[in-house]
Amino acid sequence: MSKITLEEARRIVRVGLDSAAEQGVGMAIAVVDYAGQLVAFERDDTAPWIVSEIAWRKARTSAAFGKPTADREQAWSERPFFAQSVIALGDYVVGKGAFPLIRDGEVVGAVGASGGVPEQDHVAAEAGAAAFAQG
């Protein structure tokens, strides 16, 4: 199994924070491995503390399902009882702002962003995932 490296994770965090700054919002960016364990994380000085928890949980959700959380938000709106069951497990968040990190067809982790409105979080996480995909 391929693993995401600390160097890769730090680069993803930096790209995500740069995207947040371009959008004019303070965010937290979290990168997790395939099992949802934190690899790298940073929170902008202007972001509230709670976004740290949300970014990590969004990333964890994306890694667990191998899908962007925007996709999960849509799918789970059609299956609210399933969504509630997953959330009840703990450490999962339904909402835009995370993307899986895929290498050679395998989920090696995910990036999550929180601090803006859902679309801003989505853009920042997408930027981090794109940086990973480009190598």
PDB file of all heavy atoms in Angstrom, residues 4-30:
ATOM      1  N   ILE A   4       0.871   8.399   1.949  1.00  0.00           N
ATOM      2  CA  ILE A   4       1.131   9.808   1.751  1.00  0.00           C
ATOM      3  C   ILE A   4       2.284  10.195   2.680  1.00  0.00           C
ATOM      4  O   ILE A   4       2.338   9.753   3.826  1.00  0.00           O
ATOM      5  CB  ILE A   4      -0.126  10.661   2.016  1.00  0.00           C
ATOM      6  CG1 ILE A   4       0.165  12.112   1.658  1.00  0.00           C
ATOM      7  CG2 ILE A   4      -0.639  10.504   3.416  1.00  0.00           C
ATOM      8  CD1 ILE A   4      -1.060  12.959   1.511  1.00  0.00           C
ATOM      9  N   THR A   5       3.214  10.969   2.165  1.00  0.00           N
ATOM     10  CA  THR A   5       4.360  11.369   2.972  1.00  0.00           C
ATOM     11  C   THR A   5       4.072  12.669   3.712  1.00  0.00           C
ATOM     12  O   THR A   5       3.183  13.441   3.326  1.00  0.00           O
ATOM     13  CB  THR A   5       5.617  11.560   2.100  1.00  0.00           C
ATOM     14  OG1 THR A   5       5.424  12.705   1.250  1.00  0.00           O
ATOM     15  CG2 THR A   5       5.915  10.314   1.267  1.00  0.00           C
ATOM     16  N   LEU A   6       4.848  12.912   4.742  1.00  0.00           N
ATOM     17  CA  LEU A   6       4.724  14.157   5.496  1.00  0.00           C
ATOM     18  C   LEU A   6       5.004  15.349   4.582  1.00  0.00           C
ATOM     19  O   LEU A   6       4.302  16.366   4.648  1.00  0.00           O
ATOM     20  CB  LEU A   6       5.676  14.154   6.690  1.00  0.00           C
ATOM     21  CG  LEU A   6       5.666  15.407   7.559  1.00  0.00           C
ATOM     22  CD1 LEU A   6       4.268  15.688   8.104  1.00  0.00           C
ATOM     23  CD2 LEU A   6       6.680  15.261   8.688  1.00  0.00           C
ATOM     24  N   GLU A   7       6.000  15.226   3.721  1.00  0.00           N
ATOM     25  CA  GLU A   7       6.324  16.306   2.789  1.00  0.00           C
ATOM     26  C   GLU A   7       5.141  16.601   1.860  1.00  0.00           C
ATOM     27  O   GLU A   7       4.786  17.763   1.638  1.00  0.00           O
ATOM     28  CB  GLU A   7       7.553  15.929   1.960  1.00  0.00           C
ATOM     29  CG  GLU A   7       7.979  17.014   0.985  1.00  0.00           C
ATOM     30  CD  GLU A   7       9.208  16.613   0.185  1.00  0.00           C
ATOM     31  OE1 GLU A   7      10.058  15.876   0.704  1.00  0.00           O
ATOM     32  OE2 GLU A   7       9.307  17.058  -0.977  1.00  0.00           O
ATOM     33  N   GLU A   8       4.516  15.558   1.327  1.00  0.00           N
ATOM     34  CA  GLU A   8       3.338  15.749   0.465  1.00  0.00           C
ATOM     35  C   GLU A   8       2.205  16.413   1.248  1.00  0.00           C
ATOM     36  O   GLU A   8       1.548  17.340   0.759  1.00  0.00           O
ATOM     37  CB  GLU A   8       2.849  14.404  -0.083  1.00  0.00           C
ATOM     38  CG  GLU A   8       3.756  13.789  -1.116  1.00  0.00           C
ATOM     39  CD  GLU A   8       3.347  12.373  -1.467  1.00  0.00           C
ATOM     40  OE1 GLU A   8       2.921  11.597  -0.569  1.00  0.00           O
ATOM     41  OE2 GLU A   8       3.446  12.037  -2.660  1.00  0.00           O
ATOM     42  N   ALA A   9       1.980  15.926   2.463  1.00  0.00           N
ATOM     43  CA  ALA A   9       0.895  16.453   3.285  1.00  0.00           C
ATOM     44  C   ALA A   9       1.121  17.929   3.608  1.00  0.00           C
ATOM     45  O   ALA A   9       0.186  18.733   3.551  1.00  0.00           O
ATOM     46  CB  ALA A   9       0.753  15.630   4.563  1.00  0.00           C
ATOM     47  N   ARG A  10       2.342  18.295   3.929  1.00  0.00           N
ATOM     48  CA  ARG A  10       2.646  19.702   4.223  1.00  0.00           C
ATOM     49  C   ARG A  10       2.416  20.585   3.001  1.00  0.00           C
ATOM     50  O   ARG A  10       1.937  21.709   3.134  1.00  0.00           O
ATOM     51  CB  ARG A  10       4.077  19.837   4.719  1.00  0.00           C
ATOM     52  CG  ARG A  10       4.262  19.336   6.128  1.00  0.00           C
ATOM     53  CD  ARG A  10       5.694  19.446   6.569  1.00  0.00           C
ATOM     54  NE  ARG A  10       5.835  19.119   7.976  1.00  0.00           N
ATOM     55  CZ  ARG A  10       6.974  18.768   8.540  1.00  0.00           C
ATOM     56  NH1 ARG A  10       8.093  18.721   7.827  1.00  0.00           N
ATOM     57  NH2 ARG A  10       7.025  18.487   9.824  1.00  0.00           N
ATOM     58  N   ARG A  11       2.767  20.093   1.832  1.00  0.00           N
ATOM     59  CA  ARG A  11       2.555  20.862   0.589  1.00  0.00           C
ATOM     60  C   ARG A  11       1.056  21.060   0.350  1.00  0.00           C
ATOM     61  O   ARG A  11       0.606  22.150  -0.018  1.00  0.00           O
ATOM     62  CB  ARG A  11       3.203  20.150  -0.598  1.00  0.00           C
ATOM     63  CG  ARG A  11       3.082  20.916  -1.918  1.00  0.00           C
ATOM     64  CD  ARG A  11       3.959  20.320  -3.015  1.00  0.00           C
ATOM     65  NE  ARG A  11       3.886  18.880  -3.123  1.00  0.00           N
ATOM     66  CZ  ARG A  11       2.962  18.221  -3.824  1.00  0.00           C
ATOM     67  NH1 ARG A  11       2.035  18.867  -4.480  1.00  0.00           N
ATOM     68  NH2 ARG A  11       2.980  16.909  -3.874  1.00  0.00           N
ATOM     69  N   ILE A  12       0.268  20.021   0.571  1.00  0.00           N
ATOM     70  CA  ILE A  12      -1.184  20.105   0.396  1.00  0.00           C
ATOM     71  C   ILE A  12      -1.773  21.147   1.358  1.00  0.00           C
ATOM     72  O   ILE A  12      -2.607  21.962   0.969  1.00  0.00           O
ATOM     73  CB  ILE A  12      -1.837  18.727   0.609  1.00  0.00           C
ATOM     74  CG1 ILE A  12      -1.413  17.767  -0.507  1.00  0.00           C
ATOM     75  CG2 ILE A  12      -3.350  18.836   0.689  1.00  0.00           C
ATOM     76  CD1 ILE A  12      -1.680  16.310  -0.196  1.00  0.00           C
ATOM     77  N   VAL A  13      -1.326  21.125   2.591  1.00  0.00           N
ATOM     78  CA  VAL A  13      -1.795  22.100   3.582  1.00  0.00           C
ATOM     79  C   VAL A  13      -1.467  23.514   3.120  1.00  0.00           C
ATOM     80  O   VAL A  13      -2.319  24.410   3.159  1.00  0.00           O
ATOM     81  CB  VAL A  13      -1.180  21.821   4.972  1.00  0.00           C
ATOM     82  CG1 VAL A  13      -1.384  23.003   5.912  1.00  0.00           C
ATOM     83  CG2 VAL A  13      -1.770  20.548   5.574  1.00  0.00           C
ATOM     84  N   ARG A  14      -0.239  23.720   2.655  1.00  0.00           N
ATOM     85  CA  ARG A  14       0.179  25.054   2.221  1.00  0.00           C
ATOM     86  C   ARG A  14      -0.688  25.530   1.050  1.00  0.00           C
ATOM     87  O   ARG A  14      -1.136  26.683   1.037  1.00  0.00           O
ATOM     88  CB  ARG A  14       1.669  25.022   1.826  1.00  0.00           C
ATOM     89  CG  ARG A  14       2.224  26.302   1.281  1.00  0.00           C
ATOM     90  CD  ARG A  14       2.135  27.553   2.126  1.00  0.00           C
ATOM     91  NE  ARG A  14       2.168  27.389   3.556  1.00  0.00           N
ATOM     92  CZ  ARG A  14       1.469  28.145   4.437  1.00  0.00           C
ATOM     93  NH1 ARG A  14       0.704  29.116   4.025  1.00  0.00           N
ATOM     94  NH2 ARG A  14       1.556  27.935   5.713  1.00  0.00           N
ATOM     95  N   VAL A  15      -0.925  24.681   0.074  1.00  0.00           N
ATOM     96  CA  VAL A  15      -1.747  25.052  -1.080  1.00  0.00           C
ATOM     97  C   VAL A  15      -3.174  25.373  -0.628  1.00  0.00           C
ATOM     98  O   VAL A  15      -3.778  26.350  -1.084  1.00  0.00           O
ATOM     99  CB  VAL A  15      -1.739  23.940  -2.151  1.00  0.00           C
ATOM    100  CG1 VAL A  15      -2.786  24.183  -3.219  1.00  0.00           C
ATOM    101  CG2 VAL A  15      -0.353  23.834  -2.784  1.00  0.00           C
ATOM    102  N   GLY A  16      -3.715  24.582   0.286  1.00  0.00           N
ATOM    103  CA  GLY A  16      -5.052  24.838   0.801  1.00  0.00           C
ATOM    104  C   GLY A  16      -5.147  26.171   1.526  1.00  0.00           C
ATOM    105  O   GLY A  16      -6.094  26.940   1.327  1.00  0.00           O
ATOM    106  N   LEU A  17      -4.151  26.477   2.348  1.00  0.00           N
ATOM    107  CA  LEU A  17      -4.149  27.758   3.060  1.00  0.00           C
ATOM    108  C   LEU A  17      -3.965  28.926   2.099  1.00  0.00           C
ATOM    109  O   LEU A  17      -4.560  29.993   2.299  1.00  0.00           O
ATOM    110  CB  LEU A  17      -3.063  27.772   4.133  1.00  0.00           C
ATOM    111  CG  LEU A  17      -3.351  26.918   5.368  1.00  0.00           C
ATOM    112  CD1 LEU A  17      -2.147  26.904   6.291  1.00  0.00           C
ATOM    113  CD2 LEU A  17      -4.596  27.407   6.106  1.00  0.00           C
ATOM    114  N   ASP A  18      -3.157  28.737   1.066  1.00  0.00           N
ATOM    115  CA  ASP A  18      -2.994  29.785   0.046  1.00  0.00           C
ATOM    116  C   ASP A  18      -4.324  30.048  -0.664  1.00  0.00           C
ATOM    117  O   ASP A  18      -4.687  31.203  -0.913  1.00  0.00           O
ATOM    118  CB  ASP A  18      -1.921  29.400  -0.971  1.00  0.00           C
ATOM    119  CG  ASP A  18      -0.510  29.472  -0.404  1.00  0.00           C
ATOM    120  OD1 ASP A  18      -0.320  30.032   0.701  1.00  0.00           O
ATOM    121  OD2 ASP A  18       0.410  28.943  -1.068  1.00  0.00           O
ATOM    122  N   SER A  19      -5.060  28.988  -0.966  1.00  0.00           N
ATOM    123  CA  SER A  19      -6.363  29.140  -1.594  1.00  0.00           C
ATOM    124  C   SER A  19      -7.319  29.892  -0.670  1.00  0.00           C
ATOM    125  O   SER A  19      -8.061  30.775  -1.110  1.00  0.00           O
ATOM    126  CB  SER A  19      -6.951  27.774  -1.960  1.00  0.00           C
ATOM    127  OG  SER A  19      -8.273  27.907  -2.442  1.00  0.00           O
ATOM    128  N   ALA A  20      -7.295  29.554   0.607  1.00  0.00           N
ATOM    129  CA  ALA A  20      -8.149  30.241   1.576  1.00  0.00           C
ATOM    130  C   ALA A  20      -7.810  31.728   1.631  1.00  0.00           C
ATOM    131  O   ALA A  20      -8.706  32.578   1.635  1.00  0.00           O
ATOM    132  CB  ALA A  20      -7.994  29.605   2.951  1.00  0.00           C
ATOM    133  N   ALA A  21      -6.524  32.037   1.653  1.00  0.00           N
ATOM    134  CA  ALA A  21      -6.092  33.442   1.693  1.00  0.00           C
ATOM    135  C   ALA A  21      -6.548  34.189   0.441  1.00  0.00           C
ATOM    136  O   ALA A  21      -7.008  35.330   0.534  1.00  0.00           O
ATOM    137  CB  ALA A  21      -4.574  33.518   1.843  1.00  0.00           C
ATOM    138  N   GLU A  22      -6.436  33.535  -0.713  1.00  0.00           N
ATOM    139  CA  GLU A  22      -6.912  34.148  -1.959  1.00  0.00           C
ATOM    140  C   GLU A  22      -8.412  34.427  -1.904  1.00  0.00           C
ATOM    141  O   GLU A  22      -8.889  35.380  -2.510  1.00  0.00           O
ATOM    142  CB  GLU A  22      -6.608  33.238  -3.149  1.00  0.00           C
ATOM    143  CG  GLU A  22      -5.142  33.160  -3.503  1.00  0.00           C
ATOM    144  CD  GLU A  22      -4.840  32.080  -4.535  1.00  0.00           C
ATOM    145  OE1 GLU A  22      -5.791  31.504  -5.117  1.00  0.00           O
ATOM    146  OE2 GLU A  22      -3.638  31.797  -4.731  1.00  0.00           O
ATOM    147  N   GLN A  23      -9.139  33.593  -1.172  1.00  0.00           N
ATOM    148  CA  GLN A  23     -10.581  33.770  -1.032  1.00  0.00           C
ATOM    149  C   GLN A  23     -10.933  34.759   0.088  1.00  0.00           C
ATOM    150  O   GLN A  23     -12.099  35.090   0.285  1.00  0.00           O
ATOM    151  CB  GLN A  23     -11.259  32.430  -0.739  1.00  0.00           C
ATOM    152  CG  GLN A  23     -11.137  31.428  -1.867  1.00  0.00           C
ATOM    153  CD  GLN A  23     -11.827  30.139  -1.495  1.00  0.00           C
ATOM    154  OE1 GLN A  23     -13.056  30.089  -1.449  1.00  0.00           O
ATOM    155  NE2 GLN A  23     -11.053  29.095  -1.203  1.00  0.00           N
ATOM    156  N   GLY A  24      -9.920  35.182   0.836  1.00  0.00           N
ATOM    157  CA  GLY A  24     -10.128  36.155   1.898  1.00  0.00           C
ATOM    158  C   GLY A  24     -10.737  35.591   3.163  1.00  0.00           C
ATOM    159  O   GLY A  24     -11.435  36.299   3.889  1.00  0.00           O
ATOM    160  N   VAL A  25     -10.451  34.326   3.455  1.00  0.00           N
ATOM    161  CA  VAL A  25     -11.029  33.699   4.640  1.00  0.00           C
ATOM    162  C   VAL A  25      -9.967  32.871   5.371  1.00  0.00           C
ATOM    163  O   VAL A  25      -9.104  32.270   4.750  1.00  0.00           O
ATOM    164  CB  VAL A  25     -12.252  32.821   4.248  1.00  0.00           C
ATOM    165  CG1 VAL A  25     -11.854  31.686   3.348  1.00  0.00           C
ATOM    166  CG2 VAL A  25     -12.992  32.329   5.458  1.00  0.00           C
ATOM    167  N   GLY A  26     -10.022  32.890   6.690  1.00  0.00           N
ATOM    168  CA  GLY A  26      -9.135  32.058   7.493  1.00  0.00           C
ATOM    169  C   GLY A  26      -9.695  30.653   7.594  1.00  0.00           C
ATOM    170  O   GLY A  26     -10.893  30.479   7.824  1.00  0.00           O
ATOM    171  N   MET A  27      -8.854  29.673   7.409  1.00  0.00           N
ATOM    172  CA  MET A  27      -9.300  28.276   7.427  1.00  0.00           C
ATOM    173  C   MET A  27      -8.318  27.392   8.167  1.00  0.00           C
ATOM    174  O   MET A  27      -7.190  27.778   8.436  1.00  0.00           O
ATOM    175  CB  MET A  27      -9.399  27.721   6.000  1.00  0.00           C
ATOM    176  CG  MET A  27     -10.565  28.157   5.214  1.00  0.00           C
ATOM    177  SD  MET A  27     -10.660  27.194   3.669  1.00  0.00           S
ATOM    178  CE  MET A  27     -11.878  28.178   2.822  1.00  0.00           C
ATOM    179  N   ALA A  28      -8.789  26.194   8.422  1.00  0.00           N
ATOM    180  CA  ALA A  28      -7.936  25.098   8.861  1.00  0.00           C
ATOM    181  C   ALA A  28      -7.910  24.089   7.721  1.00  0.00           C
ATOM    182  O   ALA A  28      -8.926  23.848   7.072  1.00  0.00           O
ATOM    183  CB  ALA A  28      -8.500  24.443  10.117  1.00  0.00           C
ATOM    184  N   ILE A  29      -6.732  23.518   7.488  1.00  0.00           N
ATOM    185  CA  ILE A  29      -6.558  22.486   6.469  1.00  0.00           C
ATOM    186  C   ILE A  29      -5.965  21.263   7.157  1.00  0.00           C
ATOM    187  O   ILE A  29      -4.945  21.368   7.856  1.00  0.00           O
ATOM    188  CB  ILE A  29      -5.618  22.948   5.330  1.00  0.00           C
ATOM    189  CG1 ILE A  29      -6.067  24.282   4.737  1.00  0.00           C
ATOM    190  CG2 ILE A  29      -5.487  21.852   4.274  1.00  0.00           C
ATOM    191  CD1 ILE A  29      -7.372  24.255   3.971  1.00  0.00           C
ATOM    192  N   ALA A  30      -6.591  20.115   6.945  1.00  0.00           N
ATOM    193  CA  ALA A  30      -6.125  18.863   7.539  1.00  0.00           C
ATOM    194  C   ALA A  30      -5.885  17.836   6.441  1.00  0.00           C
ATOM    195  O   ALA A  30      -6.681  17.719   5.510  1.00  0.00           O
ATOM    196  CB  ALA A  30      -7.159  18.318   8.516  1.00  0.00           C
TER     197      ALA A  30
END
